[in-house]
Amino acid sequence: AKTMAEGSNPRYIDRELEMKYAEDKKGNPRTRGMLVRRFTGDSTPYSFPVTPIRLVKEWPDEPPFKPEDFFRADEIDDGSFYAVPRLVYHIDEPAVASLTQYYRNNIPAGSSILDICSSWISHYPLEFPDTMKRISATGMNKLELMYNDQLTDYQAKNLNVDPTLPYDDNTFNVVTCVVSIDYLISPIQVLQEVNRVLKPGGKVIISQSNRCFPSKAIAMWLQMNDLQHLELINGYLKYAGGFKDIKAFDITATDPGNRYNDPMFIVQAEKA
């Protein structure tokens, strides 16, 4: 059944964004407008099954990872790589829609949410800015975060330089991370921080597809398939500590025309 919000929302929202890119000799700003299309995740022809995935890998007591597991083909400063805003989607519309619907069904109204590794969109349902207590974000690019109209507040932050989250203990009900954990070189430390800022009983929702920037994803990620990625995230959560009830789901949308679309997976856990 569709919610009232879902049933009344448009499928797309087109916005014109203005970016200042320089100043002329007199100091006047030079700007450029660009039209961006946002997928709302609603009013689509897709259906959204949620299929549990059993995580079976037995992880040893101590992390088995080697430093080279976290090497990237491009070790140039991430700040340079992400300096120019990318106002595009890195997953297709069915994958976006499946994540949006999952959030709607699994994040209660009145929650305080943190989106880490965020950008110009957070994939939350359109009503979330009105129904949630707070929506915060950290991400690499300040301009992209400025364009994210779902946020209450944001802080530009490179978690590969400093994995510390700039928030107090026990602040958020939910922390989300969308198709980005594969870029983190200190994922266990970041998840320890996620645990710290979550309230007791709070939830982390990590989503993953099979898309990435290969030059920036860590080496061992590139050698793994989709199921191995989910097992790896499960391992990260176990080594971070303080999490329970770790679950994985395949939430890949079904297209009525049986066309290929990007897969979408969830690994979620609760703060113990």
Side-chain angles (χ1 to χ4, degrees):
K2 292 188 175 184
T3 65
M4 185 177 296
E6 178 188 353
S8 60
N9 286 340
R11 184 172 178 177
Y12 306 115
I13 295 177
D14 294 323
R15 295 173 59 201
E16 185 170 3
L17 303 178
E18 189 174 86
M19 181 188 301
K20 175 185 173 182
Y21 62 92
E23 294 181 350
D24 64 18
K25 293 180 180 179
K26 296 181 180 180
N28 297 316
R30 302 183 68 179
T31 61
R32 182 177 67 183
M34 63 187 72
L35 190 67
V36 295
R37 167 163 285 188
R38 177 173 166 194
F39 303 148
T40 70
D42 292 328
S43 302
T44 70
Y46 315 120
S47 56
F48 306 103
V50 176
T51 306
I53 295 176
R54 189 162 168 257
L55 300 172
V56 297
K57 181 175 174 61
E58 294 287 339
W59 289 96
D61 291 339
E62 296 298 322
F65 311 120
K66 303 181 293 293
E68 53 266 32
D69 290 334
F70 297 98
F71 288 174
R72 280 116 22 105
D74 178 5
E75 291 288 359
I76 296 173
D77 177 48
D78 292 327
S80 299
F81 183 82
Y82 294 103
V84 177
R86 291 178 173 86
L87 304 180
V88 298
Y89 282 91
H90 303 294
I91 48 178
D92 63 16
E93 186 190 8
V96 170
S98 68
L99 184 58
T100 299
Q101 302 305 326
Y102 189 85
Y103 285 156
R104 178 177 279 133
N105 293 327
N106 289 275
I107 300 179
S111 294
S112 294
I113 309 173
L114 170 63
D115 191 31
I116 65 170
C117 307
S118 189
S119 67
W120 71 285
I121 29 94
S122 291
H123 309 294
Y124 298 135
L126 286 180
E127 72 270 14
F128 267 31
D130 296 322
T131 60
M132 297 299 155
K133 182 178 180 181
R134 173 184 181 181
I135 302 179
S136 305
T138 65
M140 286 292 300
N141 188 289
K142 184 178 179 180
L143 275 174
E144 287 193 22
L145 295 171
M146 286 173 57
Y147 291 139
N148 188 329
D149 60 6
Q150 293 194 309
L151 303 180
T152 310
D153 57 270
Y154 61 84
Q155 294 201 40
K157 176 88 179 180
N158 184 347
L159 295 176
N160 280 342
V161 172
D162 175 14
T164 307
L165 293 173
Y167 305 100
D168 293 337
D169 297 0
N170 308 316
T171 297
F172 298 101
N173 303 101
V174 179
V175 176
T176 60
C177 180
V178 180
V179 296
S180 295
I181 201 164
D182 45 325
Y183 302 123
L184 296 178
I185 61 174
S186 302
I188 295 171
Q189 291 92 324
V190 170
L191 288 173
Q192 287 170 337
E193 279 292 288
V194 167
N195 187 274
R196 180 184 64 78
V197 303
L198 276 172
K199 296 179 180 181
K203 188 161 53 177
V204 58
I205 302 175
I206 300 167
S207 55
Q208 201 57 52
S209 186
N210 61 358
R211 299 273 194 109
C212 69
F213 295 118
S215 63
K216 282 298 185 182
I218 62 168
M220 65 175 166
W221 187 273
L222 297 176
Q223 305 303 316
M224 296 178 175
N225 61 31
D226 292 336
L227 182 57
Q228 290 170 321
H229 291 155
L230 303 181
E231 296 280 13
L232 179 63
I233 296 169
N234 180 36
Y236 288 165
L237 288 163
K238 288 180 180 294
Y239 294 129
F243 290 104
K244 64 178 184 179
D245 201 21
I246 301 172
K247 297 177 181 177
F249 301 97
D250 182 346
I251 64 166
T252 304
T254 301
D255 186 304
N258 291 319
R259 290 179 292 268
Y260 171 82
N261 47 273
D262 292 338
M264 181 56 76
F265 305 97
I266 295 286
V267 179
Q268 68 180 40
E270 185 178 326
K271 179 172 178 174

